[in-house]
Amino acid sequence: HDSFHTTDHEENEYLRPVRDAAKAAGEALYLVQAVVPCGGCVLHHQDTWHGSGSNSSAKRLRRALVGHYLRADTEFRASPAPTYIYGRYKLGTSCALHDSFFPVIYSPTQ
């Protein structure tokens, strides 16, 4: 896997992509650990690089409820094609976000 959410590497190996990105950008990397208790919630900006290590529980699956809030004029990029997370929501050759996947909940023009 080259994914940030990888589970088949040694502990902390999942941080390599963000470390490499910071180095390539010539930026300092500041890591902040958010310890979230069971039933807890984390809110963050879309540009926040985030993720977690593998699930250490042998008895419970890790579940998540995700809500993404995007500007109404957001579109898929044409190239490179969206990756597996968002690529499944791209319909045909259109770069538009379909409202059945990304409903508009607020628009200053409505």
Side-chain angles (χ1 to χ4, degrees):
H1 285 290
D2 61 4
S3 167
F4 186 72
H5 294 280
T6 189
T7 60
D8 61 353
H9 289 70
E10 64 187 61
E11 186 176 351
N12 293 325
E13 182 64 18
Y14 67 94
L15 293 172
R16 185 188 319 189
V18 72
R19 292 179 201 271
D20 292 348
K23 183 177 179 182
E27 296 289 335
L29 177 63
Y30 300 99
L31 298 176
V32 177
Q33 183 179 18
V35 179
V36 184
C38 292
C41 175
V42 174
L43 301 174
H44 56 81
H45 188 275
Q46 68 185 14
D47 291 345
T48 300
W49 194 303
H50 60 282
S52 60
S54 60
N55 183 5
S56 60
S57 173
K59 297 181 179 182
R60 293 185 300 251
L61 297 174
R62 179 179 292 162
R63 295 196 167 97
L65 174 65
V66 178
H68 291 195
Y69 294 90
L70 309 168
R71 289 174 37 146
D73 62 347
T74 301
E75 292 190 340
F76 287 107
R77 62 179 181 244
S79 179
T83 59
Y84 77 100
I85 292 175
Y86 292 105
R88 66 183 110 184
Y89 303 111
K90 189 172 185 304
L91 300 178
T93 59
S94 173
C95 288
L97 299 182
H98 196 276
D99 62 0
S100 64
F101 301 125
F102 302 97
V104 175
I105 61 169
Y106 168 79
S107 174
T109 60
Q110 291 180 343

